Every structure is written in structure tokens, then in C-alpha cells.
Amino acid sequence: MNVVKYLPWLAMGLTVTSQSWAEQVHAAVAANFTGAMKSVVAQFKQDTGHDVLLSFGSSGKILAQIQNGAPFDVFLSADQAKPQALQDKGLVQEGSRFTYAIGALALWSSLPDFIENDYSRLTSDDYNKLALANPKLAPYGLAATEVLQALGLKDATQAKWVQGENIAQTYQFVATGNADLGFVALSQIMSKGHVTEGSSWIVPSDLYSPIRQDAVLLKTAKDNSAAKALLAYLQSDAAQQIIQSYGYTTE
């Protein structure tokens, strides 16, 4: 039976499949990993029978929610700093932290041929708005500012910035045309190894710091077998193939 639950911690609905024999894990997941995580979880549930409740949002907000007692079992961050901060506060099960994905950044427009596989559109000034995630909250937003700085375009473009609270909102700014282009996670526009819509420039990885994304088991879930199974599954060959198909690299 499908039951829709609304949680106060994140302002979005969550669909939960309840099975009386299955254990449940509540995973808080960085917004950039939405598509990949849904695909991984679908396979995980089929393979293990465990139930997964997913909450997506900016890593910064999830961190604050966990520190304020949000009932999550595992946290998949968009960076390493926030899981480390939780570990420093004694909120993480010792030895559970690992890198589940390394993210990639893309300059993207929903308009075909608007971006010609380079950053010349940014230098032309022929666009209305440039969307990026808030660099204080979202690692992909910080990476975007690093790219602009490396290209010598940070000051020149800043007047046209529109900032999303997280990378999901940033994507929406571009998808709806409120911004002609924006820096998004490659995973948001890629499926099965191919960019599926619009036009894009996959940003060379040497223009920004590596986006290493870490996962942790929270100490409150140290006895939750479904939570442990999910983290183990993320490191399996089956899960890593799915993750790579969304444009991430894995170790």
C-alpha cells in the first residue's frame, strides 16, 4: 500500500511503500543525488525487501535538521565537510563514513543550441539570468563560484546571478526559463550516460574543487539493520553502475 507522508523537516511530500515484513530506513539525501538515489533505492528495495523513506534538500539545511533532532537514519551529503561536522559532534556511528559519489558540474540551458559545449555564452552577456545554488548552503553552488573565478567571470556575471536554495531549485530556475542558463549537477541532466535535454557544457573538473560526497550512519540508527544494509548497498557494484550512469564517478 502506498502512503504519502509529509514531514515537518523538509517541505516536500514523500511516498512510502509499507510492507509489514520489511524494516525501514529514513535517508536524508542531498538534492543533487535525487535521480540517482531513487534509482538505487528501487533496486535496493527489490533486492532486499527493506523499505526506504527519502527526504531531499540542501546539505546545509539537512545538517541543521539533524543537529536539531530530525529523525533520520543515514545522511548522504553533497560534500565531506558536513558529515565530518556531525562526526566531530559525536552524532555519527564510528567508522561509517565513506565517499559514495564524486559529483560533476555542468553549465546548462533548457534551450537547444543555446550553449555550444563551451562557456562562450557567459562571455557574450547574451542571456537574462545565470542560476547557481547558494554557495553557503550547497557544494555545487560553491563549485560554480570557483568556476566563474577560474574563468575570470565572477565579477562580470554577478549582477545576473539568481541563487537557488539548493541545486534542485537551481535546476528549476533553468528548466522553467526564469534563467536562460545555470550551473547544475551533471546528474540532473544525464541519464544512462547521456545528457537528455537542452544544451550544455560539462565543466572540466580542474576548474573546481572535487565534489566528494560522503554518507554516514547516524548514531541513533546504529541498531537499524536496514540503514546498515542501504549504506553497504551504495558501495556495491550494482549501485555504483547506477550512480555512474548519472554522471558521477565512484571509487
Side-chain angles (χ1 to χ4, degrees), residues 127-184:
Y127 60 93
N128 64 353
K129 295 291 182 183
L130 172 63
L132 64 157
N134 185 336
K136 295 181 180 179
L137 292 174
Y140 282 82
L142 179 60
T145 62
E146 290 178 347
V147 172
L148 291 169
Q149 185 70 47
L151 296 175
L153 293 172
K154 187 174 180 180
D155 292 339
T157 61
Q158 200 156 5
K160 292 193 174 187
W161 290 6
V162 55
Q163 293 188 22
E165 179 180 283
N166 54 47
I167 202 67
Q169 187 177 56
T170 305
Y171 171 88
Q172 286 300 321
F173 286 153
V174 184
T176 58
N178 288 312
D180 281 340
L181 71 169
F183 285 102
V184 301

Side-chain angles (χ1 to χ4, degrees), residues 19 42 112 126 170 213 217 219:
Q19 296 172 310
D126 185 19
T170 305
Q213 304 191 188
L217 176 69
K219 189 166 284 187

Side-chain angles (χ1 to χ4, degrees), residues 200-217:
S200 63
W201 172 53
I202 299 175
V203 181
S205 60
D206 59 357
L207 292 179
Y208 56 95
S209 302
I211 307 174
R212 299 179 66 86
Q213 304 191 188
D214 279 8
V216 289
L217 176 69

Side-chain angles (χ1 to χ4, degrees), residues 19 42 69 74 78 108 121 131 139 192 202:
Q19 296 172 310
V74 301
W108 177 65
R121 181 65 66 173
K192 297 181 179 179
I202 299 175

